[in-house]
């Protein structure tokens, strides 16, 4: 080519490849105008820059889109280089055009593939975040946060649970998740002749529409699988779920986005056997203030099928999670009822200081094969039983429950332990309980002429109770016999006299048995440890035994400590040896009173002045555990040197909340009372939570 850009660029020569690629020879170019090569270009986004380079005699390279002779499109990489002249600016140019269509198409395919991969990763990330939120349905805004995640795909999304009618939901009440047994919904809004709630926005032309089928109700009842498109400009029959949902969606979308939607897509949130709720999504088509149809601001689905697929997966996973929560809640209520029926109990006994402890070895179980009972049989008579069924599984717990009921029934009927166990043998033989068991049953009778007590006991294959007196330990080895149900001759009854300050220990082999030592060695260790105990209250004795012997038990552990109070010795200054106590209480109202008595006895034993405040704090914390928790409640007390620390652990992971009372009912001020008397907090513990409170220094006289 020769000349300047402004004068035109006549072509002086082309090679054969140019003619083949364009279908135009050198003689044909003159007919194409002043700039003939531009006629061959279909798309040139860099034309202006290239023209400036040509005018300035600078080399230029650019990508242009052209056409083959057959009309097919192609991409060329065009390079124009000036041929220098000796007398000044270049007047001749040498150009090359390389067909790079394959490269461009490959690059476009790679970019498209990367975009698909990016979108799929985003979808997977959204689903993963949804799954994480559904893993913690106790979070009160789980469904709201999932709907917010879906708004990266659609302008608006919302969940509705179906439990006695559709209700918009930010979360799921795990204590009472949706049942899926919804009813007709018109009673939730004021009825109007056309089925619209007063004040709801209505599209023009609404009056001319005929009533349509209630597809939302069909979706809830499982008549259709969905999803369904809910027209928001349609009329619906009275008592229609579609009409109720239409009104609520209209109100919410208008309030949150300012646009008036024309339709929403409704997916079923289905459980195993029924639909538990709905997921409604608006995909962006709406009506502006002037009545024109517009797209909503923000992200809109460029590939509807892709968006619908992700929403369907989220709805299905939400349904499964909610259904699991419903089934778990139902099974949990059943398990809780069984646990309350089988967990050890301790009656409030008069005249004795009693401390009990029970811990099943199974990681997630609340009950095992060991058990104890402390029974107030009559005034001045206390029955006490500690037993051990082989194993620590559900079958062992069931056998334990049967034995516990049998022993209880005979304990209130008969007075002598040997006769009680004889009757138990007879009944157990006929019941064919599949697990062997051992037990020790004792009665403690108060002597009317003083503070002394008499203990009578019978052992059915069980380890001997221990009597602690003035640093000496005696094994109560009398009344021995075979395992429960295997008694071939009448049971005998042992007897011992108790006086002030005496301590009785009843226990199961989980306290002392280990794989690396024999049972006899473990019993010797228990005797030696008991002889060195310095605590003067039953809880202190039990705490010392557990801290020294049961740090890592390999079996179920049941321990009962009974102490005859000694008013003179108890009034003396207590030693500082271990200043902590713990109790394991069943989740039942009676445990609140036991906890109050326990903290009062402990404050008295430790010489702490905070007993009144401690009683109030413990009462509120344990009451919360009984009201909102399940299984066992662990109560721990610590003397920190500058105040009493109280810890209450239950199996409900939901944190405690300070409220201003419950509307329309009594209560709800418990944590406010705790705040007035103590610093407090909470942390996760196991499968539940631990709430702690440290009494303020002003709660008592500084020591």
């Amino acid at each position: 080519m020769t000349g300047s850009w402004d004068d035109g660029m006549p072509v002086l020569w082309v090679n054969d490849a140019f003619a083949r690629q364009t279908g135009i020879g050198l003689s044909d170019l003159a007919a194409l105008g002043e700039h003939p090569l531009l006629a061959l270009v279909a798309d040139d986004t860099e034309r202006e820059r290239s023209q400036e380079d040509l005018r300035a005699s600078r080399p230029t390279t650019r990508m242009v889109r052209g056409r083959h002779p057959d009309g097919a499109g192609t991409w060329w990489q065009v390079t124009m280089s000036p041929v220098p002249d000796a007398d000044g600016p270049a007047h001749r140019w040498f150009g090359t055009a390389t067909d790079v269509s394959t490269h461009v198409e490959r690059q476009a395919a790679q970019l498209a593939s990367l975009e698909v991969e990016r979108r799929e990763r985003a979808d997977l990330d959204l689903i993963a975040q949804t799954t994480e939120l559904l893993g913690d349905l106790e979070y009160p805004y789980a469904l709201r946060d999932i709907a917010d995640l879906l708004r990266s795909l659609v302008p608006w999304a919302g969940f509705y649970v179906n439990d006695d009618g559709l209700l918009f939901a930010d979360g799921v009440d795990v204590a009472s998740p949706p049942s899926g047994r919804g009813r007709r919904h018109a009673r939730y809004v004021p009825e109007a002749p056309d089925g619209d709630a007063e004040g709801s926005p209505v599209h023009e032309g609404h009056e001319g529409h005929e009533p349509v089928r209630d597809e939302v109700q069909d979706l809830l009842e499982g008549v259709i699988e969905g999803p369904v498109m809910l027209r928001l400009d349609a009329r619906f029959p009275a008592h229609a779920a579609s009409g109720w949902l239409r009104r609520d969606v209209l109100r919410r979308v208008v309030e949150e986005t300012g646009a008036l939607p024309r339709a929403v897509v409704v997916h079923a949130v289905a459980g195993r056997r029924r639909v538990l709720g709905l997921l409604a999504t608006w995909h962006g088509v709406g009506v502006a203030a002037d009545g024109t149809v517009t797209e909503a601001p923000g992200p809109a689905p460029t590939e509807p099928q892709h968006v619908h697929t992700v929403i369907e997966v989220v709805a299905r996973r939400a349904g499964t999670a909610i259904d699991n929560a419903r089934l778990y809640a139902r099974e949990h209520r059943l398990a809780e009822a069984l646990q309350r029926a089988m967990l050890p109990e301790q009656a409030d006994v008069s005249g004795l200081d009693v401390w009990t402890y029970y811990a099943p070895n199974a990681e997630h179980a609340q009950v095992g094969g060991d058990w104890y009972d402390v029974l107030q049989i009559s005034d001045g008579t206390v029955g006490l039983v500690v037993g051990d069924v082989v194993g620590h599984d559900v079958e062992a717990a069931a056998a334990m429950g049967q034995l516990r009921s049998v022993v209880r029934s005979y304990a209130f009927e008969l007075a002598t332990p040997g006769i009680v166990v004889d009757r138990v043998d007879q009944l157990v033989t006929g019941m064919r309980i599949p697990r062997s068991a051992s037990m020790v049953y004792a009665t403690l009778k108060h002597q009317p002429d003083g503070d002394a007590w008499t203990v009578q006991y019978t052992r059915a294959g069980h380890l001997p109770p221990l009597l602690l007196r003035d640093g000496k330990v005696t094994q109560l080895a009398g009344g021995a016999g075979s395992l429960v149900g295997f008694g071939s001759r009448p049971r005998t009854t042992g007897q011992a006299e108790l006086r002030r300050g005496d301590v009785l220990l009843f226990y199961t082999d989980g306290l002392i048995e280990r794989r690396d030592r024999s049972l006899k060695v473990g019993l010797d260790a228990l005797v030696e440890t008991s002889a060195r105990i310095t605590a003067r209250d039953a809880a202190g004795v039990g705490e010392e035994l557990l801290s020294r012997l049961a740090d890592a038990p390999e079996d179920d552990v049941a321990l009962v400590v009974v102490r005859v109070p000694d008013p003179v010795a108890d009034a003396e200054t207590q030693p500082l040896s271990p200043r902590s106590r713990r109790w394991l209480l069943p989740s039942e109202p009676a445990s609140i009173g036991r906890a109050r008595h326990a903290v009062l006895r402990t404050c008295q034993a430790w010489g702490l002045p905070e007993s009144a405040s401690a009683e109030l704090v413990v009462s509120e914390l344990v009451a919360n555990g009984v009201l909102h928790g399940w299984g066992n409640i662990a109560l721990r007390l610590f003397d920190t040197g500058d105040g009493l620390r109280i810890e209450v652990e239950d199996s409900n992971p939901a944190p405690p909340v300070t409220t201003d009372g419950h509307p329309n009912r009594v209560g709800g001020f418990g944590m406010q009372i705790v705040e007035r008397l103590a610093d407090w907090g909470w942390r996760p513990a196991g499968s539940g939570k631990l709430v702690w409170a440290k009494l303020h220094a002003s709660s008592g006289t500084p020591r």
Side-chain angles (χ1 to χ4, degrees):
M1 292 182 295
T2 184
S4 68
W5 177 263
D6 295 323
D7 296 335
M9 299 286 287
V11 180
L12 303 179
W13 171 85
V14 296
N15 63 4
D16 294 340
F18 179 87
R20 287 194 304 270
Q21 288 288 331
T22 63
I24 300 175
L26 181 62
S27 59
D28 301 320
L29 290 173
L32 296 179
E34 194 175 54
H35 298 287
L37 294 181
L38 295 181
L40 304 177
V41 177
D43 185 17
D44 185 2
T45 58
E46 299 178 282
R47 176 175 295 175
E48 292 298 327
R49 178 189 62 80
S50 180
Q51 289 176 352
E52 292 296 327
D53 290 339
L54 289 171
R55 292 188 181 100
S57 297
R58 293 190 298 264
T60 179
T61 300
R62 68 186 190 276
M63 297 282 290
V64 300
R65 184 173 179 82
R67 296 185 183 88
H68 281 292
D70 59 0
T74 185
W75 284 94
W76 291 321
Q77 179 177 294
V78 177
T79 301
M80 301 292 289
S81 301
V83 178
D85 283 348
D87 59 349
H91 291 84
R92 290 178 177 84
W93 297 78
F94 180 78
T96 61
T98 305
D99 189 343
V100 292
S101 300
T102 303
H103 170 74
V104 172
E105 291 171 359
R106 184 183 300 115
Q107 184 181 28
Q110 289 175 344
L111 291 175
S113 177
L114 289 174
E115 175 61 22
V116 171
E117 182 179 356
R118 183 204 64 78
R119 189 186 66 200
E120 290 177 348
R121 287 180 179 272
D123 292 346
L124 290 174
D125 181 63
L126 186 150
I127 293 172
Q129 293 181 63
T130 298
T131 302
E132 184 176 356
L133 287 168
L134 291 172
D136 184 17
L137 282 178
E138 291 189 347
Y139 173 54
Y141 303 110
L143 297 183
R144 182 199 65 185
D145 287 359
I146 293 172
D148 289 342
L149 289 174
L150 289 175
R151 293 186 186 186
S152 63
L153 301 176
V154 294
W156 184 88
F159 281 93
Y160 292 82
V161 298
N162 184 29
D163 195 12
D164 194 25
L166 282 176
L167 295 173
F168 184 81
D170 286 327
V172 177
D173 181 4
V174 294
S176 181
S179 65
R181 295 177 178 173
R183 299 179 182 176
R184 299 291 175 173
H185 303 77
R187 62 194 179 93
Y188 288 99
V189 294
E191 291 189 17
D194 62 351
D196 289 312
E198 184 178 354
S200 296
V202 180
H203 297 291
E204 293 183 4
H206 172 81
E207 292 80 0
H209 292 165
E210 294 296 327
V212 296
R213 179 177 176 180
D214 188 4
E215 288 189 311
V216 171
Q217 188 67 41
D218 291 342
L219 194 63
L220 291 172
E221 295 175 358
V223 177
I224 57 177
E225 293 184 1
V228 300
M229 180 73 72
L230 178 63
R231 290 168 44 198
L232 302 181
D233 58 352
R235 295 181 61 189
F236 297 96
H239 309 286
S242 296
W244 186 92
L245 184 63
R246 167 186 170 274
R247 287 185 289 268
D248 198 71
V249 167
L250 274 172
R251 177 178 61 82
R252 293 182 184 277
V253 176
V254 169
E255 290 177 355
E256 296 180 30
T257 69
L260 191 60
R262 299 178 65 191
V264 292
V265 179
V266 184
H267 286 79
V269 177
R272 291 173 178 82
R273 296 183 179 180
R274 55 175 62 94
V275 175
L276 303 175
L278 302 174
L279 172 56
T281 54
W282 175 45
H283 290 243
V285 179
V287 180
D290 59 0
T292 59
V293 177
T294 62
E295 292 289 332
T302 57
E303 297 184 34
Q305 186 57 46
H306 141 70
V307 174
H308 290 318
T309 299
V310 174
I311 293 173
E312 183 178 357
V313 170
V314 171
R316 186 165 58 247
R317 293 198 174 191
T320 301
I322 296 172
D323 200 28
N324 287 340
R326 180 172 61 86
L327 293 174
Y328 174 79
R330 184 181 66 186
E331 293 176 359
H332 171 73
R333 288 192 293 269
L334 293 175
E336 183 179 359
L338 290 174
Q339 289 170 6
R340 288 181 175 177
M342 292 193 295
L343 280 175
E345 294 183 6
Q346 175 187 329
D348 290 327
V349 297
S350 57
L352 294 173
D353 182 9
V354 181
W355 178 88
T356 57
Y357 177 83
Y358 171 72
N361 181 258
E363 182 177 357
H364 299 293
Q366 295 290 341
V367 293
D370 292 10
W371 89 97
Y372 68 81
D373 264 340
V374 180
L375 313 171
Q376 185 78 59
I377 296 175
S378 63
D379 290 340
T381 302
V382 177
L384 191 151
V385 59
V386 172
D388 183 359
V389 176
V390 174
H392 40 76
D393 52 13
V394 175
E395 186 176 341
M400 177 271 287
Q402 291 177 292
L403 284 174
R404 176 172 169 264
S405 298
V406 172
V407 174
R408 271 176 157 256
S409 61
Y410 287 132
F412 284 94
E413 179 183 348
L414 304 170
T416 304
I419 299 176
V420 170
V421 180
D422 275 336
R423 292 289 186 89
V424 172
D425 283 335
Q426 297 171 11
L427 191 56
V428 166
T429 301
M431 293 173 64
R432 300 183 181 275
I433 294 178
R435 299 291 184 93
S436 58
S438 65
M439 61 173 284
V440 55
Y441 175 68
T443 58
L444 285 78
K445 294 184 178 180
H446 183 245
Q447 301 301 320
D449 55 350
D451 295 327
W453 290 72
T454 298
V455 56
Q456 293 183 320
Y457 61 94
T458 294
R459 297 187 299 118
H462 203 83
L463 294 166
L466 302 184
L467 171 60
L468 283 59
R469 177 181 294 168
D470 299 330
K472 297 181 180 179
V473 180
T474 303
Q475 298 185 33
L476 302 183
S482 56
L483 294 172
V484 176
F486 294 90
S488 58
R489 53 178 179 266
R491 301 278 184 175
T492 59
T493 300
Q495 181 170 314
E497 301 298 324
L498 305 179
R499 60 191 189 206
R500 291 180 178 179
D502 284 355
V503 176
L504 283 175
L505 300 182
F506 296 83
Y507 55 94
T508 57
D509 56 8
L511 179 66
I512 59 175
E513 188 175 22
R514 300 293 181 270
R515 293 186 181 92
D516 58 352
R517 71 186 184 192
S518 66
L519 193 60
K520 182 180 183 305
V521 173
L523 181 58
D524 292 341
L526 173 61
V527 172
E528 180 184 356
T529 301
S530 301
R532 294 187 281 110
I533 288 177
T534 58
R536 293 184 180 176
D537 62 316
V541 173
E543 183 64 31
E544 286 196 45
L545 289 174
L546 291 176
S547 63
R548 298 179 185 180
L549 297 174
D551 285 341
E554 299 173 1
D555 198 355
D556 302 341
V557 176
L559 177 62
V560 178
V561 180
V562 180
R563 182 177 181 272
V564 180
D566 185 349
V568 176
D570 294 347
E572 298 175 359
T573 302
Q574 298 294 306
L576 296 179
S577 167
R579 307 286 279 192
S580 62
R581 298 288 186 267
R582 64 179 144 173
W583 293 262
L584 204 63
L585 309 170
S587 181
E588 59 186 19
S591 294
I592 302 172
R594 285 189 56 198
R596 289 200 303 266
H597 296 157
V599 74
L600 286 174
R601 289 196 300 266
T602 301
C603 288
Q604 180 183 9
W606 288 350
L608 301 180
E610 300 98 336
S611 59
S613 298
E615 183 182 10
L616 278 173
V617 172
V618 164
S619 179
E620 294 299 336
L621 295 184
V622 174
N624 280 343
V626 170
L627 182 62
H628 303 293
W630 52 84
N632 289 327
I633 295 175
L635 168 64
R636 303 181 185 90
L637 305 177
F638 300 90
D639 181 11
T640 65
D642 61 349
L644 184 68
R645 178 183 172 93
I646 301 166
E647 294 183 355
V648 175
E649 181 179 344
D650 61 42
S651 300
N652 186 349
V657 178
T658 303
T659 67
D660 293 325
H662 299 308
N664 304 319
R665 59 189 178 95
V666 178
F669 299 98
M671 297 311 297
Q672 288 192 17
I673 295 174
V674 174
E675 279 187 346
R676 292 290 184 91
L677 300 175
D679 298 320
W680 74 278
W682 75 281
R683 61 177 173 82
S687 60
K689 67 175 179 297
L690 183 147
V691 184
W692 61 267
K694 185 175 180 299
L695 294 181
H696 294 151
S698 59
S699 297
T701 304
R703 289 178 288 137

